[in-house]
Each structure stands twice: as C-alpha cells, then as structure tokens.
Amino acid sequence: MDIRSRKYSHSITTKVIVFTIVVLFFSGILKSIANMEALTDDDFGIVFEDNYFLSKSYMLEVEPILSSLTQLVSEYKSEENISKGGTISTEDLKTIEESLYPDFEARSKIYNPSLSEEENFKNFKKAYAKEINQAKNQMITDDLKTYQGLMQVVAGNKDLLYYANDGVNEFTNNTFKGQFKGNPSYVIYKDYKREIYPATIEKNKRFNWITEDLDPLNAKNMEVSIAFKQDALDQKIKEWKENKSIATKAFILFITCSVGFLLSFAYLAFIIGRKSFKAQELHLNATDKLFNDINIVLLIALISSWIALVEMLTIEVINKLVFFLTIPFLIVALVLILSLIKNIKNRTLIKHTLIYLLLSRLFTFIKNVYKSGNIGVKTVLLVVGYPVLIALTFYIFPITIGFAAWFAYKQVKKFNAIKEGVEQIKAGDFHHRIEVDGKGEFASLANNINTITDGLKTAVNRELKSERMKTELITNVSHDIRTPLTSIITYVDLLKREENPLKIQEYVEVLDQKSQRLKLLTDDLFEAAKASSGTIPVHLERIDILSLITQGLGEVNAKIEALDLAFKINQPQDKLYVAADGKLLWRSVENLLSNIFKYALRGSRVYIDIEDMGHDILLTFKNISAYELNISADELMERFKRGDESRTSQGSGLGLSIAKSLIEIQKGQFSIQVDGDLFKAMIRIPKHNSLIS
C-alpha cells in the first residue's frame, strides 16, 4: 500500500470515528430529553428553581384547585342555579338569536322584507321559540358537564384542604371550614383581600396564575381558601427535590452532549467530501448522485417516521431503547444531510434537483418556441401542420376543407368586430365594448382596446369632476367669505349712524368677531394652497407617535372637557416611531381633532387606534357625528365641504383637505370613511426604520 492510499484510508477512518461520535452525542441528547420527559409536568426550568414554593410544581398543584373553586362560586354556583339558566347571560341569549336569525331570513315564510326590523325580529322570536329554547337547553347541559368536571377536579384532590363560599353555596373538604392559618402553606381570599403564606410564593414567576384565578371574585361575600397539610407538603417537597436532582443530571448531560454534537458535526461537515483536512478538491460518491429534492423528501419522511415511532412508545421504553431507536434512523439521516452539505460546497444544491432539471428543460423548450413570437409560431404550425393534416385525413378531405373554412371565417369575423369597434370608439362612443370570444391574438387585442377605452372614459370623467369641483369651490369660497364680509359692511354702516357708546362697543365686538372669522378663512385658504402645491419645507425626523398624541391631547384638554368627550387610545405595548415632520404631523392631527370638536356628538367617545402595519404605522381616529352624514367620503375631502350641509358650523371646510396634503408631502397616505354616523380618519405614515431616502 503506497503513502497516498494510507493517507486516504486514514481519512476514511477519521470520518467514521467522527461520524460515530456525532451519533453517540445525539443519542445522549435524546437520552437527557427522555429522562426529563419522565418527570411529570416538569422541564429543565426546575434546575434553576430555589425551593418548592418558587417552583412550577407548586403552581401546578395549587392553580387547578383555585381555578375550579373560583369558577364554582363566581359562575356556576350549583346544579340548581345552572338548571334554572343562571349561567346564561343576556349576551349568550343574544348570540343564540343572532346565530338563528339569518336562517329565519333565508328560509322562513314568516319573514317579510316590507316589515320593519323590529317587527320581523318579534315574529322571529315567536317562530323560532323552540329552536332558541333548544339552544338554551344545550348551553345548560354543557354548563352542567363543566360543573361536574370542576367538582371532579376538586373532589380528586387529596393533598389540599379547601373551602369556598359565595354566601349561599359552599364547597369544602375541611370540617373546620375557615380555619386555614394553622397550616404550613395557605392561600386565603376573603373580603376583597388575599393572604398568602409563606410570602415567598408571591415571588414565584408564575404567581400571576393565582391572581388571575382570584380576579373574578368580585363580591364581598365570596371566599376561597386552600391550604397544604403538613404531611402532604413534606411529601411534595421531597418529590420536588428528587425531580430536581434527576433534572440537574439530565441538564448537564444535555449541555455536554449538545456542545459535543455541534462541534463534532461542524468538524464532520467541514471534512466531508475531502480526502484530507487541507485538501481543496471535493469528491462526490454514489449517494451524492441522488437528486437533492428527493433527498429532502426522504429526509422528511425519515424524521416523520422516527417521530411517529417515538410518540407511540412510552417514556420508559424510550429510555431503555433510545440507542436502538436512534442509531439506525440517525445514520441514514446523517448520510442524507452530509450529501446535501457536499452539494452546498459544490454549489449544486439547486441545480442538482429533479425539479430544476425538468423546469430548465421545459424553459429551454418554451424559450426556443417563444423566440419566433406567437403569431409566427401559429403561422408555422398552420403552414406545416395543415398539409400534414390533409395527408393524414385524405379520405375525409371535404371535412378537413370545411373545418379550415370554418376556422378562417371565425378569425375574419373577429377581425371585423375589432375593426367596427375601433370605428365606434373613434367616433366618441367610449361606452362601446368590443366582444371577442375565446383566447388568442384577436381576443388579446380586443381586450387591450377595451382597456384603452376604459382609460379614456376615466380621464373624461375625471376632467368633468374636476370642472364640477372648481365650480363648487368658487361657490363655497364666495359664500363663506361673503357672509362675514356682509356682516362687516352692515355693522360699519350702523356704526356710522350710532351715537350710543354701549351700542358702539357692541358693534365693534361684532366687527372684531367677523374680521377674525374672515382672517381664519383666508389663512386656511392660503395654507391649503401651500400644502397642495408642495412648497412647504419638510424635515423628516424620528417621532414617538404615542407621545405626540398624548401631548397634543393634553394641550386641548380644556376643549375635550367642555364637550364632555371621552378619548380612548389603543396602542401596542412597544413604542412606535415614525419618520415625519413633527410640526406638519401635529398640524394634521390638530386639524382632525378640530374637526372632531366641531362635529362630534357631545358626550360621546372618540377612539384613537395606533397599529403597526409592518413598514408603516396606521393612525385611526373614530368618532360619532352630531350631524347626519348624508354625504360621501370623497365629497367630504373636497375643499370648503362641511359635514353640515346648512354650513352653520364655524369650520372653513378646509381642515381635511389640508391634513391630506400635509400627510402626503411627508410620504404618507390620508383617507376617510363614513359608515352611518361613524366618521373614521386614517393616517398611514412610514416607520422610522423603513424610510427610504
């Protein structure tokens, strides 16, 4: 054997050894996990628990009893209460009726569209009384089953003393009832107060399990108490310590085997395919000829089979047979994985797949066909194919000629339809549609012409709408400016003739009000013009959107209190930052708030929702209008358009238009929606980290 052969043999031996080490370490990982799974309800977290009262085991012992007792006294109370429907709320009945009402509308002969909704609903309740009662009885049956289940949980407890009372119903296994404080550990809830001993329990990271169980107890006469007996507590502490010892050993084994597995697998992945550690040339063997996608499918099937086999066996069996269950599967899986790694090194992970091979050949074929173009291909097929067809069907020659004539007639008919349609569109009939059946070049051409026609029609409609908006703008501007101006002229005339100082003072105050109103209109008009022209300088910066909203609401708190409005802000837990100009963004929000103050129903709620939409932040304002909104969202966005058609409010009608323009120059989007009396304004602004300069 020469030196080269000995080196190659040594390389193979090294790989086999490392391969075996990888298998052993992975088996050790599974062994540690199996040992941990053998511990009931515990995981590796027990290793880091200081004592039983800070453990998950304690909470799993206490929480089910607390939860069951809380539900019994706060909700279910007794079988008699459930049987009488005491657990069925008005909302539950409403849900039942809402689930049955669509069936009544669709199928019932009693439903009359000409009647009011209230009359139809009364008829529904009479006609579907049986179905409603059946659904109610089913809910009672379900609640009784739940009640029995809770009672079984409580009765099955042997280690805890418990007592629960709602003033009428009592649940206990303690003959001394409320005497729990003499026990080594207890949880007592009484008169809205809770007592927990030892206090260490409150430092348990799962302590919220207890508080969440006790939250539904909202009546003064409700009491829930549980306690550990001394012998039961001692036994639980002993079991916990034993489990912690087992878990600690399993955890050390898990960490050791995991590190060993990662290092050995990384080394094996590095040397695989090479004859020596320093060699650069990659060598593939017979298993590497298997297509990578088939390799992955086999790997997934192998892992799925192993998982299914493991799930069928008990923990005890897995502990005993872990090596025999793992090694055969792991060896095959490692061979497949290492083959994929070699293909990654060889840069053939994608190219060496069956799908890639088939798609590449199909793509090459289509590419070659497509190079000549669709019409050219069809022409070649007709020129070449038709003589072949004639030769093959010479005995039915008349039929073949007839088919060719019919096909030619259909194509000529399509061409004439397109020609006539173009003539009509050219004459100005933009509503005309060219209808060509089937697929092909003529159908595609007709569809393209129809699309062009639609574009022309849209452009014409847009121009007509623009002209109408200009006319309305002039009319509204004239009306809104003329009103205060007329008042000013009238009071100036009165002032000239008035000698009474008190009257003069009154007229001067009116003149001041009207002039300020006129100044507000002209300022808003000027700002709207600047905003829509895009000439306002924009300085984008990082802004905390929630802080901007809360600070702004603080500034207008006096108006909020004066109108008796309740603002509700819904926002994610994490802070959200937008890329915007602080002054311009606040001006937009201020316009929306001003709009709310002018048009919102007094004493109603106003909702502000802040949502993370990925690259953008969506800011939504929702309020109930004091006026009937018999106007579309598009019309409300027009300048000098107000929510009250009588134009009696103090607004200029420019607020929404200004807000829209200011948001758009900050790379955002602004829109509004009207649903009955509900008015929604939505601002979508880019997040700070998603800004593209």
Side-chain angles (χ1 to χ4, degrees), residues 75-123:
E75 183 176 356
Y76 296 101
K77 300 184 182 299
S78 67
E79 289 187 355
E80 182 182 1
N81 176 61
I82 297 171
S83 300
K84 290 180 179 179
T87 56
I88 300 177
S89 64
T90 305
E91 289 296 322
D92 293 332
L93 288 174
K94 186 177 179 182
T95 302
I96 293 172
E97 291 169 354
E98 288 177 350
S99 66
L100 292 172
Y101 192 73
D103 185 72
F104 168 75
E105 287 181 310
R107 300 182 183 181
S108 178
K109 297 179 180 179
I110 303 173
Y111 179 75
N112 187 351
S114 61
L115 295 177
S116 67
E117 193 69 21
E118 292 182 0
E119 291 174 321
N120 271 317
F121 197 76
K122 289 179 180 178
N123 294 336

Short mmCIF file of all heavy atoms in Angstrom, two decimals, residues 75-123:
data_model
loop_
_atom_site.label_atom_id
_atom_site.label_comp_id
_atom_site.label_asym_id
_atom_site.label_seq_id
_atom_site.Cartn_x
_atom_site.Cartn_y
_atom_site.Cartn_z
N GLU A 75 -69.32 31.66 39.08
CA GLU A 75 -70.08 31.49 37.85
C GLU A 75 -71.15 30.40 37.95
O GLU A 75 -72.33 30.66 37.73
CB GLU A 75 -69.11 31.15 36.71
CG GLU A 75 -69.77 31.03 35.34
CD GLU A 75 -68.77 30.78 34.23
OE1 GLU A 75 -67.54 30.79 34.52
OE2 GLU A 75 -69.21 30.57 33.09
N TYR A 76 -70.76 29.18 38.30
CA TYR A 76 -71.70 28.06 38.23
C TYR A 76 -72.56 27.90 39.49
O TYR A 76 -73.73 27.55 39.40
CB TYR A 76 -70.94 26.77 37.93
CG TYR A 76 -70.26 26.80 36.59
CD1 TYR A 76 -68.89 27.05 36.48
CD2 TYR A 76 -70.99 26.61 35.43
CE1 TYR A 76 -68.27 27.11 35.25
CE2 TYR A 76 -70.37 26.66 34.19
CZ TYR A 76 -69.02 26.90 34.11
OH TYR A 76 -68.41 26.95 32.88
N LYS A 77 -71.97 28.09 40.67
CA LYS A 77 -72.65 28.08 41.97
C LYS A 77 -73.24 26.72 42.34
O LYS A 77 -72.82 26.10 43.30
CB LYS A 77 -73.71 29.17 42.03
CG LYS A 77 -73.12 30.57 41.82
CD LYS A 77 -74.13 31.65 41.98
CE LYS A 77 -73.50 33.02 41.72
NZ LYS A 77 -72.40 33.34 42.62
N SER A 78 -74.23 26.24 41.61
CA SER A 78 -74.85 24.96 41.94
C SER A 78 -75.56 24.41 40.72
O SER A 78 -75.80 25.13 39.74
CB SER A 78 -75.85 25.12 43.09
OG SER A 78 -76.95 25.91 42.66
N GLU A 79 -75.92 23.09 40.80
CA GLU A 79 -76.66 22.47 39.69
C GLU A 79 -78.03 23.13 39.52
O GLU A 79 -78.52 23.29 38.41
CB GLU A 79 -76.81 20.97 39.95
CG GLU A 79 -75.52 20.18 39.80
CD GLU A 79 -75.75 18.69 39.89
OE1 GLU A 79 -76.91 18.29 40.17
OE2 GLU A 79 -74.80 17.92 39.69
N GLU A 80 -78.62 23.49 40.64
CA GLU A 80 -79.94 24.14 40.58
C GLU A 80 -79.85 25.48 39.86
O GLU A 80 -80.68 25.81 39.00
CB GLU A 80 -80.47 24.34 42.00
CG GLU A 80 -81.87 24.96 42.03
CD GLU A 80 -82.36 25.18 43.46
OE1 GLU A 80 -81.61 24.87 44.42
OE2 GLU A 80 -83.49 25.68 43.60
N ASN A 81 -78.81 26.24 40.17
CA ASN A 81 -78.62 27.54 39.51
C ASN A 81 -78.42 27.37 38.01
O ASN A 81 -78.98 28.11 37.20
CB ASN A 81 -77.41 28.25 40.11
CG ASN A 81 -77.09 29.56 39.41
OD1 ASN A 81 -77.89 30.48 39.39
ND2 ASN A 81 -75.91 29.64 38.83
N ILE A 82 -77.62 26.35 37.63
CA ILE A 82 -77.37 26.10 36.20
C ILE A 82 -78.65 25.65 35.51
O ILE A 82 -78.98 26.12 34.42
CB ILE A 82 -76.26 25.03 36.04
CG1 ILE A 82 -74.94 25.54 36.63
CG2 ILE A 82 -76.08 24.69 34.57
CD1 ILE A 82 -73.87 24.47 36.71
N SER A 83 -79.42 24.74 36.15
CA SER A 83 -80.65 24.21 35.55
C SER A 83 -81.68 25.31 35.34
O SER A 83 -82.49 25.25 34.40
CB SER A 83 -81.23 23.11 36.44
OG SER A 83 -80.31 22.05 36.59
N LYS A 84 -81.66 26.32 36.19
CA LYS A 84 -82.60 27.45 36.04
C LYS A 84 -82.11 28.46 35.01
O LYS A 84 -82.79 29.45 34.75
CB LYS A 84 -82.79 28.15 37.39
CG LYS A 84 -83.57 27.31 38.40
CD LYS A 84 -83.70 28.07 39.71
CE LYS A 84 -84.50 27.28 40.73
NZ LYS A 84 -84.61 28.00 42.02
N GLY A 85 -80.94 28.22 34.43
CA GLY A 85 -80.41 29.16 33.42
C GLY A 85 -79.62 30.29 34.03
O GLY A 85 -79.40 31.32 33.37
N GLY A 86 -79.17 30.13 35.28
CA GLY A 86 -78.45 31.21 35.95
C GLY A 86 -77.11 31.53 35.33
O GLY A 86 -76.57 32.61 35.54
N THR A 87 -76.55 30.59 34.58
CA THR A 87 -75.24 30.83 33.96
C THR A 87 -75.35 31.41 32.55
O THR A 87 -74.34 31.70 31.93
CB THR A 87 -74.45 29.51 33.89
OG1 THR A 87 -75.22 28.54 33.18
CG2 THR A 87 -74.14 29.00 35.27
N ILE A 88 -76.59 31.53 32.07
CA ILE A 88 -76.79 32.06 30.71
C ILE A 88 -77.07 33.55 30.81
O ILE A 88 -78.07 33.98 31.40
CB ILE A 88 -77.95 31.33 30.01
CG1 ILE A 88 -77.65 29.84 29.90
CG2 ILE A 88 -78.18 31.92 28.63
CD1 ILE A 88 -78.77 29.03 29.29
N SER A 89 -76.20 34.35 30.25
CA SER A 89 -76.33 35.80 30.31
C SER A 89 -77.17 36.33 29.15
O SER A 89 -77.52 35.59 28.22
CB SER A 89 -74.94 36.45 30.25
OG SER A 89 -74.33 36.18 29.00
N THR A 90 -77.48 37.60 29.24
CA THR A 90 -78.21 38.27 28.14
C THR A 90 -77.41 38.21 26.85
O THR A 90 -77.97 38.02 25.76
CB THR A 90 -78.49 39.74 28.52
OG1 THR A 90 -79.18 39.78 29.78
CG2 THR A 90 -79.35 40.41 27.45
N GLU A 91 -76.09 38.33 26.98
CA GLU A 91 -75.23 38.26 25.80
C GLU A 91 -75.29 36.87 25.16
O GLU A 91 -75.26 36.74 23.94
CB GLU A 91 -73.78 38.60 26.17
CG GLU A 91 -73.55 40.06 26.50
CD GLU A 91 -73.80 40.96 25.29
OE1 GLU A 91 -73.45 40.55 24.16
OE2 GLU A 91 -74.37 42.04 25.47
N ASP A 92 -75.36 35.84 26.00
CA ASP A 92 -75.47 34.47 25.47
C ASP A 92 -76.75 34.30 24.67
O ASP A 92 -76.76 33.70 23.58
CB ASP A 92 -75.43 33.45 26.62
CG ASP A 92 -74.08 33.41 27.30
OD1 ASP A 92 -73.08 33.71 26.63
OD2 ASP A 92 -74.03 33.09 28.50
N LEU A 93 -77.87 34.81 25.22
CA LEU A 93 -79.15 34.72 24.52
C LEU A 93 -79.11 35.50 23.21
O LEU A 93 -79.64 35.07 22.18
CB LEU A 93 -80.28 35.25 25.41
CG LEU A 93 -80.66 34.36 26.61
CD1 LEU A 93 -81.68 35.08 27.48
CD2 LEU A 93 -81.22 33.02 26.14
N LYS A 94 -78.47 36.65 23.27
CA LYS A 94 -78.35 37.47 22.06
C LYS A 94 -77.54 36.74 20.99
O LYS A 94 -77.87 36.78 19.80
CB LYS A 94 -77.68 38.81 22.41
CG LYS A 94 -77.65 39.79 21.24
CD LYS A 94 -77.04 41.11 21.68
CE LYS A 94 -77.00 42.09 20.51
NZ LYS A 94 -76.37 43.37 20.90
N THR A 95 -76.50 36.04 21.43
CA THR A 95 -75.68 35.27 20.49
C THR A 95 -76.49 34.16 19.84
O THR A 95 -76.38 33.90 18.64
CB THR A 95 -74.47 34.67 21.22
OG1 THR A 95 -73.71 35.73 21.81
CG2 THR A 95 -73.59 33.89 20.26
N ILE A 96 -77.32 33.47 20.64
CA ILE A 96 -78.18 32.41 20.11
C ILE A 96 -79.12 32.97 19.05
O ILE A 96 -79.28 32.42 17.96
CB ILE A 96 -78.97 31.75 21.25
CG1 ILE A 96 -78.04 30.98 22.19
CG2 ILE A 96 -80.04 30.80 20.69
CD1 ILE A 96 -78.71 30.46 23.44
N GLU A 97 -79.76 34.10 19.39
CA GLU A 97 -80.73 34.70 18.46
C GLU A 97 -80.05 35.16 17.18
O GLU A 97 -80.58 34.98 16.07
CB GLU A 97 -81.44 35.87 19.15
CG GLU A 97 -82.37 35.42 20.28
CD GLU A 97 -82.86 36.59 21.13
OE1 GLU A 97 -82.38 37.72 20.90
OE2 GLU A 97 -83.72 36.38 22.01
N GLU A 98 -78.86 35.76 17.32
CA GLU A 98 -78.13 36.23 16.13
C GLU A 98 -77.70 35.08 15.24
O GLU A 98 -77.61 35.22 14.02
CB GLU A 98 -76.92 37.05 16.56
CG GLU A 98 -77.29 38.42 17.13
CD GLU A 98 -76.07 39.18 17.61
OE1 GLU A 98 -74.97 38.57 17.67
OE2 GLU A 98 -76.21 40.37 17.93
N SER A 99 -77.40 33.91 15.83
CA SER A 99 -76.99 32.76 15.03
C SER A 99 -78.17 32.14 14.27
O SER A 99 -78.00 31.53 13.21
CB SER A 99 -76.34 31.71 15.92
OG SER A 99 -77.28 31.17 16.84
N LEU A 100 -79.39 32.28 14.82
CA LEU A 100 -80.58 31.69 14.18
C LEU A 100 -81.28 32.65 13.23
O LEU A 100 -82.00 32.22 12.33
CB LEU A 100 -81.57 31.23 15.26
CG LEU A 100 -81.13 30.06 16.15
CD1 LEU A 100 -82.12 29.85 17.27
CD2 LEU A 100 -81.00 28.78 15.33
N TYR A 101 -81.08 33.95 13.43
CA TYR A 101 -81.83 34.94 12.64
C TYR A 101 -81.56 34.85 11.13
O TYR A 101 -82.49 34.97 10.33
CB TYR A 101 -81.54 36.35 13.15
CG TYR A 101 -82.50 37.38 12.59
CD1 TYR A 101 -83.82 37.45 13.02
CD2 TYR A 101 -82.08 38.28 11.62
CE1 TYR A 101 -84.69 38.39 12.51
CE2 TYR A 101 -82.95 39.22 11.09
CZ TYR A 101 -84.25 39.27 11.55
OH TYR A 101 -85.11 40.20 11.04
N PRO A 102 -80.29 34.64 10.68
CA PRO A 102 -80.06 34.51 9.23
C PRO A 102 -80.85 33.35 8.62
O PRO A 102 -81.33 33.46 7.48
CB PRO A 102 -78.55 34.26 9.14
CG PRO A 102 -77.99 34.88 10.36
CD PRO A 102 -79.02 34.66 11.42
N ASP A 103 -81.00 32.25 9.36
CA ASP A 103 -81.80 31.13 8.86
C ASP A 103 -83.25 31.53 8.73
O ASP A 103 -83.94 31.14 7.78
CB ASP A 103 -81.65 29.94 9.82
CG ASP A 103 -82.36 28.69 9.30
OD1 ASP A 103 -81.85 28.10 8.35
OD2 ASP A 103 -83.43 28.34 9.84
N PHE A 104 -83.73 32.33 9.68
CA PHE A 104 -85.11 32.84 9.63
C PHE A 104 -85.31 33.71 8.39
O PHE A 104 -86.33 33.61 7.70
CB PHE A 104 -85.40 33.63 10.90
CG PHE A 104 -86.67 34.45 10.85
CD1 PHE A 104 -87.92 33.84 10.96
CD2 PHE A 104 -86.62 35.83 10.69
CE1 PHE A 104 -89.08 34.59 10.92
CE2 PHE A 104 -87.78 36.58 10.64
CZ PHE A 104 -89.01 35.96 10.75
N GLU A 105 -84.33 34.57 8.10
CA GLU A 105 -84.43 35.45 6.93
C GLU A 105 -84.43 34.66 5.63
O GLU A 105 -85.15 34.98 4.69
CB GLU A 105 -83.25 36.43 6.92
CG GLU A 105 -83.35 37.53 7.94
CD GLU A 105 -82.18 38.48 7.85
OE1 GLU A 105 -81.02 38.01 7.84
OE2 GLU A 105 -82.41 39.70 7.78
N ALA A 106 -83.59 33.59 5.57
CA ALA A 106 -83.40 32.86 4.32
C ALA A 106 -84.51 31.86 4.05
O ALA A 106 -84.92 31.66 2.90
CB ALA A 106 -82.04 32.15 4.34
N ARG A 107 -85.04 31.21 5.11
CA ARG A 107 -85.93 30.07 4.90
C ARG A 107 -87.37 30.29 5.36
O ARG A 107 -88.29 29.68 4.83
CB ARG A 107 -85.36 28.85 5.63
CG ARG A 107 -83.97 28.44 5.15
CD ARG A 107 -83.51 27.21 5.88
NE ARG A 107 -82.14 26.82 5.49
CZ ARG A 107 -81.49 25.78 5.97
NH1 ARG A 107 -82.08 24.99 6.85
NH2 ARG A 107 -80.26 25.50 5.58
N SER A 108 -87.52 31.13 6.37
CA SER A 108 -88.86 31.25 6.96
C SER A 108 -89.82 31.98 6.04
O SER A 108 -89.48 32.99 5.42
CB SER A 108 -88.78 31.98 8.31
OG SER A 108 -90.06 32.13 8.85
N LYS A 109 -91.05 31.46 5.95
CA LYS A 109 -92.10 32.12 5.16
C LYS A 109 -92.68 33.31 5.91
O LYS A 109 -93.39 34.14 5.31
CB LYS A 109 -93.21 31.12 4.83
CG LYS A 109 -92.74 29.95 3.96
CD LYS A 109 -93.88 28.98 3.69
CE LYS A 109 -93.40 27.81 2.82
NZ LYS A 109 -94.48 26.83 2.56
N ILE A 110 -92.40 33.38 7.20
CA ILE A 110 -92.94 34.48 8.02
C ILE A 110 -92.18 35.78 7.77
O ILE A 110 -92.73 36.86 7.92
CB ILE A 110 -92.88 34.10 9.52
CG1 ILE A 110 -93.66 32.80 9.75
CG2 ILE A 110 -93.45 35.19 10.40
CD1 ILE A 110 -93.53 32.25 11.15
N TYR A 111 -90.91 35.65 7.38
CA TYR A 111 -90.10 36.86 7.19
C TYR A 111 -90.68 37.71 6.06
O TYR A 111 -90.95 37.22 4.97
CB TYR A 111 -88.66 36.48 6.85
CG TYR A 111 -87.77 37.68 6.61
CD1 TYR A 111 -87.31 38.44 7.67
CD2 TYR A 111 -87.40 38.05 5.32
CE1 TYR A 111 -86.50 39.54 7.46
CE2 TYR A 111 -86.60 39.14 5.09
CZ TYR A 111 -86.14 39.89 6.17
OH TYR A 111 -85.35 40.97 5.96
N ASN A 112 -90.88 38.99 6.35
CA ASN A 112 -91.49 39.91 5.38
C ASN A 112 -90.57 41.11 5.21
O ASN A 112 -90.42 41.92 6.14
CB ASN A 112 -92.87 40.35 5.88
CG ASN A 112 -93.62 41.16 4.82
OD1 ASN A 112 -93.05 41.54 3.79
ND2 ASN A 112 -94.89 41.42 5.08
N PRO A 113 -89.93 41.25 4.06
CA PRO A 113 -89.00 42.38 3.86
C PRO A 113 -89.65 43.74 4.00
O PRO A 113 -88.98 44.73 4.28
CB PRO A 113 -88.49 42.15 2.42
CG PRO A 113 -88.76 40.72 2.14
CD PRO A 113 -89.99 40.36 2.90
N SER A 114 -90.97 43.80 3.79
CA SER A 114 -91.65 45.09 3.86
C SER A 114 -91.86 45.56 5.30
O SER A 114 -92.12 46.73 5.55
CB SER A 114 -93.00 45.00 3.14
OG SER A 114 -93.83 44.03 3.76
N LEU A 115 -91.76 44.63 6.27
CA LEU A 115 -91.90 45.00 7.67
C LEU A 115 -90.60 45.59 8.20
O LEU A 115 -89.54 45.40 7.64
CB LEU A 115 -92.28 43.76 8.50
CG LEU A 115 -93.64 43.12 8.21
CD1 LEU A 115 -93.82 41.87 9.07
CD2 LEU A 115 -94.78 44.10 8.46
N SER A 116 -90.71 46.30 9.33
CA SER A 116 -89.52 46.86 9.96
C SER A 116 -88.69 45.74 10.58
O SER A 116 -89.19 44.63 10.80
CB SER A 116 -89.90 47.88 11.04
OG SER A 116 -90.55 47.22 12.12
N GLU A 117 -87.45 46.06 10.91
CA GLU A 117 -86.56 45.06 11.50
C GLU A 117 -87.10 44.61 12.86
O GLU A 117 -87.01 43.43 13.22
CB GLU A 117 -85.16 45.66 11.66
CG GLU A 117 -84.07 44.66 11.98
CD GLU A 117 -83.78 43.73 10.80
OE1 GLU A 117 -84.12 44.09 9.65
OE2 GLU A 117 -83.25 42.64 11.05
N GLU A 118 -87.65 45.53 13.64
CA GLU A 118 -88.19 45.18 14.96
C GLU A 118 -89.37 44.22 14.84
O GLU A 118 -89.48 43.26 15.60
CB GLU A 118 -88.61 46.45 15.70
CG GLU A 118 -87.44 47.34 16.09
CD GLU A 118 -87.89 48.57 16.86
OE1 GLU A 118 -89.12 48.70 17.07
OE2 GLU A 118 -87.03 49.37 17.24
N GLU A 119 -90.27 44.49 13.89
CA GLU A 119 -91.44 43.62 13.70
C GLU A 119 -91.00 42.22 13.24
O GLU A 119 -91.53 41.20 13.72
CB GLU A 119 -92.40 44.24 12.68
CG GLU A 119 -93.09 45.50 13.19
CD GLU A 119 -93.92 46.18 12.12
OE1 GLU A 119 -93.47 46.21 10.96
OE2 GLU A 119 -95.01 46.66 12.44
N ASN A 120 -90.07 42.19 12.31
CA ASN A 120 -89.56 40.90 11.86
C ASN A 120 -88.88 40.14 13.00
O ASN A 120 -88.99 38.92 13.10
CB ASN A 120 -88.56 41.09 10.71
CG ASN A 120 -89.25 41.08 9.35
OD1 ASN A 120 -90.13 40.26 9.10
ND2 ASN A 120 -88.88 42.01 8.50
N PHE A 121 -88.18 40.87 13.88
CA PHE A 121 -87.49 40.21 14.98
C PHE A 121 -88.48 39.63 15.99
O PHE A 121 -88.26 38.56 16.55
CB PHE A 121 -86.54 41.19 15.68
CG PHE A 121 -85.51 40.53 16.54
CD1 PHE A 121 -84.42 39.89 15.97
CD2 PHE A 121 -85.64 40.52 17.92
CE1 PHE A 121 -83.47 39.26 16.76
CE2 PHE A 121 -84.70 39.89 18.71
CZ PHE A 121 -83.61 39.26 18.13
N LYS A 122 -89.60 40.34 16.21
CA LYS A 122 -90.65 39.80 17.08
C LYS A 122 -91.23 38.52 16.49
O LYS A 122 -91.44 37.53 17.20
CB LYS A 122 -91.75 40.84 17.28
CG LYS A 122 -91.35 42.02 18.15
CD LYS A 122 -92.49 43.01 18.28
CE LYS A 122 -92.08 44.20 19.14
NZ LYS A 122 -93.18 45.20 19.25
N ASN A 123 -91.49 38.55 15.20
CA ASN A 123 -92.01 37.35 14.53
C ASN A 123 -91.00 36.20 14.61
O ASN A 123 -91.37 35.03 14.77
CB ASN A 123 -92.33 37.66 13.08
CG ASN A 123 -93.49 38.63 12.94
OD1 ASN A 123 -94.32 38.75 13.85
ND2 ASN A 123 -93.54 39.36 11.83
#
